[in-house]
Amino acid sequence: AQSVAQPEDQVNVAEGNPLTVKCTYSVSGNPYLFWYVQYPNRGLQFLLKYITGDNLVKGSYGFEAEFNKSQTSFHLKKPSALVSDSALYFCAVRVPRGAGSYQLTFGKGTKLSVIP
Amino acid sequence: KAGVTQTPRYLIKTRGQQVTLSCSPISGHRSVSWYQQTPGQGLQFLFEYFSETQRNKGNFPGRFSGRQFSNSRSEMNVSTLELGDSALYLCASTTGQDYTEAFFGQGTRLTVV
């Protein structure tokens, strides 16, 4: 089965420090991977995706992610954390379901708290 | 261009009732997927509609159903509500071709009492 795992329920980081939110994947074939962010009582906002090509993907709000095939990881990073980055972050993988249909399978989410 | 619109934002229903949620996708997008988000189970796929046809279904009971109209708007219906149906219901809009970009609405928060 195609899946992603987020090993940390919570990550705390001081404002201005670099942040990393971890994601590992288990996929047969080439993975299509995504990061989304969710603020309280809001929907999911798309941050970035990896389809193919460069292993370092740049996304919205200064976030980037590094695709590592040998370690089956897709960690989300930002060089300098802001208090406003505090939110719930989800890693997801696209799963084919046949007949041209797909779905996203999500990790459990990681709560990021940026401390002033 | 307008984003994904879900209505209503909040609902409170009683056990045994039924509820209908609505999702209007981004203009030009032909696929709408629905997801349920709960603290215990996380985000789970419910179903996908494309060109008015259900193309894919997750592992939910038959009380959960949906439909899609010719303008791509979709509705999701839950009958005989149970306390465990309390959740944030999210819909995602895609072109329907390859799911490389899914845009989500703000969600409908359903509380069953």
Side-chain angles (χ1 to χ4, degrees), chain B residues 7 13-14 17 20 23 26 28 30 38 41 45 51 61 63 66-67 78 80 82 87-89 99 107 110 112:
Chain B
T7 56
K13 291 287 187 179
T14 304
Q17 288 187 312
T20 299
C23 174
I26 291 170
R30 296 168 61 194
T38 60
Q41 298 299 316
F45 173 77
S51 292
R63 298 184 298 105
R67 60 178 175 168
V78 188
T80 319
E82 300 177 359
L88 181 66
Y89 290 89
Y99 225 101
L110 172 65
V112 182

Side-chain angles (χ1 to χ4, degrees), chain A residues 3-46:
Chain A
S3 64
V4 291
Q6 295 179 244
E8 300 158 318
D9 291 336
Q10 174 136 7
V11 169
N12 297 322
V13 63
E15 186 177 23
N17 281 4
L19 71 86
T20 298
V21 183
K22 295 180 180 177
C23 174
T24 59
Y25 65 89
S26 175
V27 170
S28 56
N30 296 320
Y32 282 34
L33 297 163
F34 305 83
W35 276 102
Y36 285 86
V37 60
Q38 185 178 38
Y39 296 96
N41 292 316
R42 304 295 291 272
L44 300 177
Q45 292 182 28
F46 172 81

Side-chain angles (χ1 to χ4, degrees), chain B residues 34-77:
Chain B
W34 289 89
Y35 292 82
Q36 181 196 64
Q37 183 179 18
T38 60
Q41 298 299 316
L43 281 152
Q44 293 187 288
F45 173 77
L46 280 155
F47 30 63
E48 183 211 6
Y49 284 86
F50 176 73
S51 292
E52 303 179 63
T53 301
Q54 186 183 89
R55 192 162 65 168
N56 185 7
K57 189 178 190 305
N59 189 25
F60 277 82
R63 298 184 298 105
F64 292 82
S65 63
R67 60 178 175 168
Q68 188 179 35
F69 302 94
S70 58
N71 62 357
S72 294
R73 188 178 72 87
S74 176
E75 288 182 347
M76 189 190 105
N77 185 273

Side-chain angles (χ1 to χ4, degrees), chain A residues 32 34 36 38 41-44 46 49 51 88 90 94 97-104 106 108, chain B residues 9 35 37 40-41 43 45 48 55-57 88 90 96-102 104-106 109:
Chain A
Y32 282 34
F34 305 83
Y36 285 86
Q38 185 178 38
N41 292 316
R42 304 295 291 272
L44 300 177
F46 172 81
K49 65 182 178 184
I51 305 297
L88 192 55
F90 289 96
R94 187 190 78 164
R97 292 294 300 268
S101 179
Y102 301 90
Q103 70 181 71
L104 293 177
F106 290 87
K108 291 291 188 183
Chain B
R9 288 292 311 278
Y35 292 82
Q37 183 179 18
Q41 298 299 316
L43 281 152
F45 173 77
E48 183 211 6
R55 192 162 65 168
N56 185 7
K57 189 178 190 305
L88 181 66
L90 295 164
Q97 300 304 315
D98 55 13
Y99 225 101
T100 53
E101 281 193 2
F104 284 80
Q106 301 285 11
R109 171 74 63 185

